Amino acid sequence: MTTPPRFDIFLTTAPGLEATLLAEVRGKGFRQPKAVPGGVVIEGGWPEVWRANLWIRGAGRVLARLDHFHVTHLAQLDLRARHVPWADVLRPDIPFRVEATCAASKLYHSGAVEQRIATAIRETLGAPEAPAGGIPDAVTVMARIEHDRCTISLDTSGAPLHKRGYKEAVNPAPLRETMASLFLQQCGYDGREPLVDPMCGAGTFVIEAAEIAARLNPGRLRHFAFEQFANFDAEAWARMRGVESRRPPAALCHGSDRDAGAVAMSRDNAVRAGVAEHTAFRQCTISDAVPPEGPPGLVMVNPPYGTRMGDKGDLVPLYRALGQVLRQRFSGWRVGLVTSEGSLAQATGLPFVAPGAPVPHGGLRVTLYRTAALG
């Protein structure tokens, strides 16, 4: 009986969020995870790849490391690329594309690297290369050459993992679900307390929180690239994703927004996500926001910032009003606020603890500002 292959599996995240993703991966039972720049590495086989895609909220993609080798010239790359066991994972009837990056190496032309690896796959496997315009279902082979060491990986996710499979409607400048889940984790949210987002937009924080509270797998509603691999076991995958994990949430997750369209969008997204009964949305301005009945919990908010949706100076009154409402009405609640502008966060007058490093988001760098329970 052959031993199932084991290899490195890389879960990507935004720089600055590696430690938070590491905590999630460890908490989900993956053995010996290790934080590295840009993500978390675990060791495992294909069941761990499937599980990571299905279970992990904070990862942007899951990459399977196929091979790594030293390389300093294209002829050497030609030879080594033909020895990668492509037939073990790629199907000859599924199109593929190659994406390469090069840094601090003798091979510095990523286009030439992509061409050589693609030729090796075509000639050893017979699989068609996706045209330059791209094919949505093409499998992506990734090559990274750094300090003359080439790492060959497969993108096992396909569409980025923040695409949970339910959100047809989004508002301008949405926060990705993967980042929202990691910010919730940094605020200590574990699904056992109420959550309020008074500027909910498309409902990202509310729906992520409701899924956590109901213990729903983030990948339950979508497909993944690994379903097109040569070694995919459809029956084993069906058993894995069929395991029932849902539980009744301890508290509702609440969202409000001054815009009626945003509230309708959030409700529709919650229905598609299967958490409508665990959420409550209403239209109201910040000045009308009130906490729900019951014990305190977490206020999580991603307000507009000047470089994102309007002029920064015009937003100071909004942040002041937000801070005033939270200080006066949300005693005992913790607050998590995401913004790219420290001056806007300070305009709330809330007693934030020292923030962590900013993280990249949509061409900006945003910071999570947190409070302890408000007095």
Side-chain angles (χ1 to χ4, degrees):
M1 183 176 178
T2 59
T3 303
R6 295 184 68 80
F7 44 87
D8 282 349
I9 302 165
F10 182 52
L11 288 70
T12 70
T13 192
L17 293 175
E18 295 94 343
T20 312
L21 178 61
L22 175 67
E24 181 190 3
V25 172
R26 184 179 288 129
K28 294 286 176 65
F30 291 88
R31 295 181 180 178
Q32 298 182 317
K34 178 183 175 184
V36 298
V40 170
V41 174
I42 59 176
E43 185 184 287
W46 291 104
E48 284 73 31
V49 167
W50 305 346
R51 208 170 286 126
N53 277 287
L54 179 64
W55 286 0
I56 300 300
R57 290 196 166 273
R61 293 183 184 277
V62 177
L63 308 181
R65 305 297 200 201
L66 293 186
D67 205 353
H68 52 83
F69 46 81
H70 182 80
V71 63
T72 56
H73 52 81
L74 289 173
Q76 188 180 22
L77 178 64
D78 279 338
L79 182 63
R80 291 304 305 262
R82 291 169 189 272
H83 283 85
V84 176
W86 301 115
D88 290 350
V89 287
L90 298 183
R91 285 167 41 181
D93 60 324
I94 298 294
F96 71 92
R97 68 171 68 87
V98 180
E99 296 179 0
T101 58
C102 305
S105 301
K106 290 184 173 64
L107 290 180
Y108 58 87
H109 193 296
S110 59
V113 170
E114 291 171 355
Q115 185 180 48
R116 298 303 176 101
I117 295 174
T119 299
I121 296 171
R122 287 198 317 270
E123 295 183 356
T124 59
L125 183 68
E129 185 178 3
I135 296 176
D137 293 333
V139 171
T140 300
V141 176
M142 308 179 83
R144 178 170 178 79
I145 302 180
E146 189 171 17
H147 300 293
D148 298 326
R149 186 167 184 79
C150 181
T151 301
I152 304 286
S153 304
L154 272 185
D155 174 12
T156 72
S157 303
L161 293 178
H162 75 268
K163 297 186 176 182
R164 305 293 201 213
Y166 67 81
K167 188 177 283 187
E168 295 177 8
V170 296
N171 61 327
L175 191 71
R176 290 183 172 182
E177 286 75 5
T178 45
M179 185 174 289
S181 73
L182 293 176
F183 285 157
L184 285 167
Q185 184 177 327
Q186 287 183 348
C187 289
Y189 182 78
D190 62 3
R192 292 184 290 185
E193 62 185 336
L195 176 131
V196 169
D197 182 351
M199 299 181 184
C200 66
T204 301
F205 275 132
V206 179
I207 293 171
E208 281 296 305
E211 290 191 356
I212 293 169
R215 204 180 286 171
L216 295 173
N217 291 324
R220 69 195 181 282
L221 299 176
R222 54 163 286 166
H223 291 285
F224 301 95
F226 64 72
E227 295 175 53
Q228 300 188 97
F229 292 176
N231 58 2
F232 177 59
D233 185 334
E235 290 185 3
W237 170 237
R239 287 194 300 271
M240 181 182 291
R241 76 183 307 169
V243 174
E244 182 58 53
S245 60
R246 192 174 192 128
R247 67 178 179 189
L252 283 180
C253 297
H254 302 259
S256 60
D257 202 285
R258 68 178 183 178
D259 180 68
V263 172
M265 188 190 310
S266 294
R267 286 182 178 138
D268 289 345
N269 287 332
V271 169
R272 282 188 289 268
V275 294
E277 65 193 74
H278 310 320
T279 59
F281 295 97
R282 72 186 187 104
Q283 182 186 1
C284 75
T285 63
I286 281 296
S287 60
D288 292 328
V290 292
E293 294 287 335
L298 175 66
V299 175
M300 202 74 194
V301 60
N302 178 35
Y305 4 110
T307 47
R308 183 182 69 151
M309 294 175 66
D311 181 75
K312 181 171 64 173
D314 293 342
L315 294 171
V316 169
L318 175 66
Y319 279 73
R320 284 178 179 157
L322 172 64
Q324 184 176 17
V325 165
L326 295 180
R327 290 194 310 274
Q328 291 178 352
R329 303 177 190 166
F330 284 78
S331 178
W333 289 69
R334 308 187 315 285
V335 177
L337 182 146
V338 180
T339 183
S340 65
E341 300 291 338
S343 60
L344 290 175
Q346 296 309 316
T348 64
L350 293 169
F352 294 116
V353 300
V359 297
H361 164 57
L364 302 172
R365 296 184 70 80
V366 299
T367 300
L368 173 64
Y369 293 86
R370 297 176 295 121
T371 74
L374 298 177

